[in-house]
Amino acid sequence: MAERIFIGVAWPYANGSLHLGHIAGAYLPADIFARYHRAKGNEVLMVSGSDQHGTPITIRAEQEGKAPHEIATRFHQEFLTCWDRLGISFDLFTSTGTANHAEVVQDFFLELLKKGHVYTDIMPLAYCDQCQRYLPDRYVEGECPFCGYPEARGDQCDRCNKPLNFNELIGPRCRLCGSAPREQESQHFFLRLSHFTDQLLAWVRQQSHWRHNVLNFTMRYLEEGLRDRAITRDIDWGVAIPQAGFEHKRIYVWFEAVIGYLSASKEWARLSGNEERWRDFWCGDARSYYFIGKDNIPFHTVIWPAMLMGYGGLNLPYDVPANEFLTLEQRPLSTSRNWAVWVPDYLERYDPDPLRYLLSANMPETGDSDFSWREFVRRNNDELLATYGNLVHRVLTFTHRHFDGCVPAPGELVA
Ligand SMILES: [Zn+2]
Ligand SMILES: [Zn+2]
């Protein structure tokens, strides 16, 4: 019987072009997986979309003197072109900027609030006196209290991947002006994550089919115990909070972006002409797979499952096959240092298939892997052209010469 396979792929921030690390980390493996299951006769729903909210977009907009939605729209269009040309076969690639997404997020929020999984509290936020503004988490940098990485951000450490609060950073500084922010209190909504620790531990212990790195990271993370996390912020760019008194605040991007998997599925169902069809992929024996990079593991193995447990009635992830990182000429890819091969640049010069081949043959599944132009040329010339091209050429020549140019009917196999 045909299986139902839901495939959620990481939502790229619409603040810059995609690079090869994104493709090797999430999009290509997801596409291969989706094509395999479709070829097998299974029903597949593969969705993702542009993450249009959050400070990566507002930082870029401020740098360019543009409105955040202009930046988000520009890169969303670019992503769509990339998927088309690379052959990444999404059933829907939408964005977090749709009315449908806002509606689904607000419903999710209100349901968690009703069930007591979301509550209000006062929290200290970073306020920069120099810039006279609240600083969203990514506007604050400092030393990671867990691993000592000196450039950890106020929301997460890029080295040990642990989520953080800005006031846990050692020596925090404002990214805009460099001065030390001070704490200022503000009322916000919190997700009662602490309540889910035991339930999550029991669930994760059953996931023996997960990759070791994913399972180990998640277990270590849970064994330290979960703390409640704020899900709203003092910003004006994002999904509105459906509660009086919070008109000038927004739902924080990490909370609403993961709900995108569900909102995209509902949008797809509506577009397919059957509004309820999303349930086929979210309830019952459908299996859901999330393709992400390793920096996204806790959001998909801890936070999103906790949100789903709280909401109720929807499937938890079946597997989260997070990939490791791709390096470029042995150095980490870096958007801020412009050390990357950008997908639009690649596609201007070369065909997609040699890239898909190289990244598939050298995918960072169990450890980081490296991309170099020399290896790209070598694999193209030696493997695709000489080895595979030669095989195709010989088979065609043989068929042409001995079978009058027609593929013969298969004979009986002789042992
Ligand atoms: Zn760290
Ligand atoms: Zn400042």
PDB file of all heavy atoms in Angstrom, residues 285-300:
ATOM      1  N   ASP A 285      -1.138   7.470   9.982  1.00  0.00           N
ATOM      2  CA  ASP A 285       0.146   6.801   9.812  1.00  0.00           C
ATOM      3  C   ASP A 285       1.062   7.469   8.784  1.00  0.00           C
ATOM      4  O   ASP A 285       2.039   6.869   8.337  1.00  0.00           O
ATOM      5  CB  ASP A 285      -0.048   5.308   9.509  1.00  0.00           C
ATOM      6  CG  ASP A 285      -0.966   5.098   8.316  1.00  0.00           C
ATOM      7  OD1 ASP A 285      -1.282   6.106   7.640  1.00  0.00           O
ATOM      8  OD2 ASP A 285      -1.352   3.942   8.056  1.00  0.00           O
ATOM      9  N   ALA A 286       0.776   8.697   8.406  1.00  0.00           N
ATOM     10  CA  ALA A 286       1.730   9.437   7.565  1.00  0.00           C
ATOM     11  C   ALA A 286       3.017   9.627   8.368  1.00  0.00           C
ATOM     12  O   ALA A 286       2.984   9.743   9.589  1.00  0.00           O
ATOM     13  CB  ALA A 286       1.148  10.785   7.178  1.00  0.00           C
ATOM     14  N   ARG A 287       4.159   9.646   7.640  1.00  0.00           N
ATOM     15  CA  ARG A 287       5.434   9.870   8.322  1.00  0.00           C
ATOM     16  C   ARG A 287       6.011  11.213   7.904  1.00  0.00           C
ATOM     17  O   ARG A 287       6.030  11.537   6.716  1.00  0.00           O
ATOM     18  CB  ARG A 287       6.430   8.769   7.954  1.00  0.00           C
ATOM     19  CG  ARG A 287       6.185   7.514   8.729  1.00  0.00           C
ATOM     20  CD  ARG A 287       7.211   6.464   8.391  1.00  0.00           C
ATOM     21  NE  ARG A 287       7.073   5.327   9.289  1.00  0.00           N
ATOM     22  CZ  ARG A 287       7.760   4.208   9.179  1.00  0.00           C
ATOM     23  NH1 ARG A 287       8.637   4.071   8.206  1.00  0.00           N
ATOM     24  NH2 ARG A 287       7.590   3.226  10.041  1.00  0.00           N
ATOM     25  N   SER A 288       6.494  11.973   8.891  1.00  0.00           N
ATOM     26  CA  SER A 288       7.051  13.274   8.538  1.00  0.00           C
ATOM     27  C   SER A 288       8.560  13.306   8.739  1.00  0.00           C
ATOM     28  O   SER A 288       9.081  12.848   9.763  1.00  0.00           O
ATOM     29  CB  SER A 288       6.374  14.376   9.343  1.00  0.00           C
ATOM     30  OG  SER A 288       6.261  14.013  10.682  1.00  0.00           O
ATOM     31  N   TYR A 289       9.226  13.823   7.736  1.00  0.00           N
ATOM     32  CA  TYR A 289      10.689  13.933   7.711  1.00  0.00           C
ATOM     33  C   TYR A 289      11.046  15.405   7.574  1.00  0.00           C
ATOM     34  O   TYR A 289      10.464  16.116   6.754  1.00  0.00           O
ATOM     35  CB  TYR A 289      11.269  13.188   6.505  1.00  0.00           C
ATOM     36  CG  TYR A 289      11.052  11.696   6.545  1.00  0.00           C
ATOM     37  CD1 TYR A 289       9.825  11.145   6.169  1.00  0.00           C
ATOM     38  CD2 TYR A 289      12.063  10.839   6.947  1.00  0.00           C
ATOM     39  CE1 TYR A 289       9.624   9.777   6.204  1.00  0.00           C
ATOM     40  CE2 TYR A 289      11.872   9.465   6.979  1.00  0.00           C
ATOM     41  CZ  TYR A 289      10.661   8.938   6.612  1.00  0.00           C
ATOM     42  OH  TYR A 289      10.456   7.581   6.646  1.00  0.00           O
ATOM     43  N   TYR A 290      12.032  15.829   8.358  1.00  0.00           N
ATOM     44  CA  TYR A 290      12.468  17.219   8.299  1.00  0.00           C
ATOM     45  C   TYR A 290      13.926  17.275   7.881  1.00  0.00           C
ATOM     46  O   TYR A 290      14.790  16.750   8.595  1.00  0.00           O
ATOM     47  CB  TYR A 290      12.264  17.903   9.656  1.00  0.00           C
ATOM     48  CG  TYR A 290      10.801  18.040  10.025  1.00  0.00           C
ATOM     49  CD1 TYR A 290      10.115  16.989  10.630  1.00  0.00           C
ATOM     50  CD2 TYR A 290      10.100  19.212   9.746  1.00  0.00           C
ATOM     51  CE1 TYR A 290       8.765  17.110  10.949  1.00  0.00           C
ATOM     52  CE2 TYR A 290       8.753  19.336  10.060  1.00  0.00           C
ATOM     53  CZ  TYR A 290       8.089  18.280  10.664  1.00  0.00           C
ATOM     54  OH  TYR A 290       6.754  18.405  10.979  1.00  0.00           O
ATOM     55  N   PHE A 291      14.188  17.890   6.737  1.00  0.00           N
ATOM     56  CA  PHE A 291      15.555  18.006   6.216  1.00  0.00           C
ATOM     57  C   PHE A 291      16.102  19.384   6.567  1.00  0.00           C
ATOM     58  O   PHE A 291      15.581  20.406   6.082  1.00  0.00           O
ATOM     59  CB  PHE A 291      15.580  17.775   4.705  1.00  0.00           C
ATOM     60  CG  PHE A 291      15.434  16.326   4.337  1.00  0.00           C
ATOM     61  CD1 PHE A 291      14.188  15.719   4.319  1.00  0.00           C
ATOM     62  CD2 PHE A 291      16.550  15.558   4.028  1.00  0.00           C
ATOM     63  CE1 PHE A 291      14.043  14.381   3.995  1.00  0.00           C
ATOM     64  CE2 PHE A 291      16.430  14.213   3.698  1.00  0.00           C
ATOM     65  CZ  PHE A 291      15.173  13.628   3.686  1.00  0.00           C
ATOM     66  N   ILE A 292      17.149  19.381   7.387  1.00  0.00           N
ATOM     67  CA  ILE A 292      17.695  20.639   7.899  1.00  0.00           C
ATOM     68  C   ILE A 292      19.209  20.521   8.045  1.00  0.00           C
ATOM     69  O   ILE A 292      19.759  19.427   7.975  1.00  0.00           O
ATOM     70  CB  ILE A 292      17.100  20.948   9.295  1.00  0.00           C
ATOM     71  CG1 ILE A 292      17.365  19.769  10.240  1.00  0.00           C
ATOM     72  CG2 ILE A 292      15.608  21.250   9.204  1.00  0.00           C
ATOM     73  CD1 ILE A 292      17.152  20.072  11.685  1.00  0.00           C
ATOM     74  N   GLY A 293      19.856  21.655   8.269  1.00  0.00           N
ATOM     75  CA  GLY A 293      21.279  21.646   8.605  1.00  0.00           C
ATOM     76  C   GLY A 293      21.433  21.437  10.105  1.00  0.00           C
ATOM     77  O   GLY A 293      20.486  21.607  10.875  1.00  0.00           O
ATOM     78  N   LYS A 294      22.634  21.056  10.547  1.00  0.00           N
ATOM     79  CA  LYS A 294      22.789  20.667  11.956  1.00  0.00           C
ATOM     80  C   LYS A 294      22.569  21.831  12.919  1.00  0.00           C
ATOM     81  O   LYS A 294      22.287  21.615  14.095  1.00  0.00           O
ATOM     82  CB  LYS A 294      24.145  20.006  12.199  1.00  0.00           C
ATOM     83  CG  LYS A 294      25.358  20.908  12.065  1.00  0.00           C
ATOM     84  CD  LYS A 294      26.633  20.113  12.417  1.00  0.00           C
ATOM     85  CE  LYS A 294      27.867  20.860  11.967  1.00  0.00           C
ATOM     86  NZ  LYS A 294      29.093  20.054  12.110  1.00  0.00           N
ATOM     87  N   ASP A 295      22.686  23.074  12.429  1.00  0.00           N
ATOM     88  CA  ASP A 295      22.474  24.228  13.313  1.00  0.00           C
ATOM     89  C   ASP A 295      20.999  24.361  13.701  1.00  0.00           C
ATOM     90  O   ASP A 295      20.654  25.133  14.592  1.00  0.00           O
ATOM     91  CB  ASP A 295      22.964  25.517  12.631  1.00  0.00           C
ATOM     92  CG  ASP A 295      22.429  25.663  11.217  1.00  0.00           C
ATOM     93  OD1 ASP A 295      22.155  24.639  10.572  1.00  0.00           O
ATOM     94  OD2 ASP A 295      22.286  26.805  10.757  1.00  0.00           O
ATOM     95  N   ASN A 296      20.141  23.603  13.027  1.00  0.00           N
ATOM     96  CA  ASN A 296      18.702  23.705  13.252  1.00  0.00           C
ATOM     97  C   ASN A 296      18.133  22.550  14.070  1.00  0.00           C
ATOM     98  O   ASN A 296      16.922  22.437  14.227  1.00  0.00           O
ATOM     99  CB  ASN A 296      17.996  23.710  11.890  1.00  0.00           C
ATOM    100  CG  ASN A 296      17.358  25.045  11.605  1.00  0.00           C
ATOM    101  OD1 ASN A 296      16.874  25.706  12.512  1.00  0.00           O
ATOM    102  ND2 ASN A 296      17.337  25.432  10.345  1.00  0.00           N
ATOM    103  N   ILE A 297      19.016  21.667  14.574  1.00  0.00           N
ATOM    104  CA  ILE A 297      18.529  20.441  15.237  1.00  0.00           C
ATOM    105  C   ILE A 297      17.583  20.722  16.412  1.00  0.00           C
ATOM    106  O   ILE A 297      16.472  20.201  16.430  1.00  0.00           O
ATOM    107  CB  ILE A 297      19.704  19.524  15.671  1.00  0.00           C
ATOM    108  CG1 ILE A 297      20.422  18.978  14.447  1.00  0.00           C
ATOM    109  CG2 ILE A 297      19.207  18.367  16.544  1.00  0.00           C
ATOM    110  CD1 ILE A 297      21.701  18.192  14.759  1.00  0.00           C
ATOM    111  N   PRO A 298      17.962  21.562  17.408  1.00  0.00           N
ATOM    112  CA  PRO A 298      17.071  21.680  18.574  1.00  0.00           C
ATOM    113  C   PRO A 298      15.676  22.212  18.230  1.00  0.00           C
ATOM    114  O   PRO A 298      14.696  21.840  18.878  1.00  0.00           O
ATOM    115  CB  PRO A 298      17.802  22.651  19.506  1.00  0.00           C
ATOM    116  CG  PRO A 298      18.891  23.266  18.712  1.00  0.00           C
ATOM    117  CD  PRO A 298      19.205  22.338  17.578  1.00  0.00           C
ATOM    118  N   PHE A 299      15.577  23.019  17.193  1.00  0.00           N
ATOM    119  CA  PHE A 299      14.259  23.538  16.830  1.00  0.00           C
ATOM    120  C   PHE A 299      13.353  22.447  16.272  1.00  0.00           C
ATOM    121  O   PHE A 299      12.136  22.536  16.372  1.00  0.00           O
ATOM    122  CB  PHE A 299      14.391  24.681  15.822  1.00  0.00           C
ATOM    123  CG  PHE A 299      14.903  25.935  16.479  1.00  0.00           C
ATOM    124  CD1 PHE A 299      16.247  26.255  16.440  1.00  0.00           C
ATOM    125  CD2 PHE A 299      14.046  26.752  17.197  1.00  0.00           C
ATOM    126  CE1 PHE A 299      16.726  27.382  17.082  1.00  0.00           C
ATOM    127  CE2 PHE A 299      14.514  27.875  17.839  1.00  0.00           C
ATOM    128  CZ  PHE A 299      15.858  28.201  17.790  1.00  0.00           C
ATOM    129  N   HIS A 300      13.953  21.411  15.677  1.00  0.00           N
ATOM    130  CA  HIS A 300      13.143  20.367  15.048  1.00  0.00           C
ATOM    131  C   HIS A 300      13.015  19.087  15.871  1.00  0.00           C
ATOM    132  O   HIS A 300      12.120  18.290  15.624  1.00  0.00           O
ATOM    133  CB  HIS A 300      13.712  20.038  13.661  1.00  0.00           C
ATOM    134  CG  HIS A 300      13.520  21.169  12.698  1.00  0.00           C
ATOM    135  ND1 HIS A 300      14.324  22.281  12.704  1.00  0.00           N
ATOM    136  CD2 HIS A 300      12.594  21.383  11.740  1.00  0.00           C
ATOM    137  CE1 HIS A 300      13.917  23.121  11.773  1.00  0.00           C
ATOM    138  NE2 HIS A 300      12.860  22.599  11.171  1.00  0.00           N
TER     139      HIS A 300
END
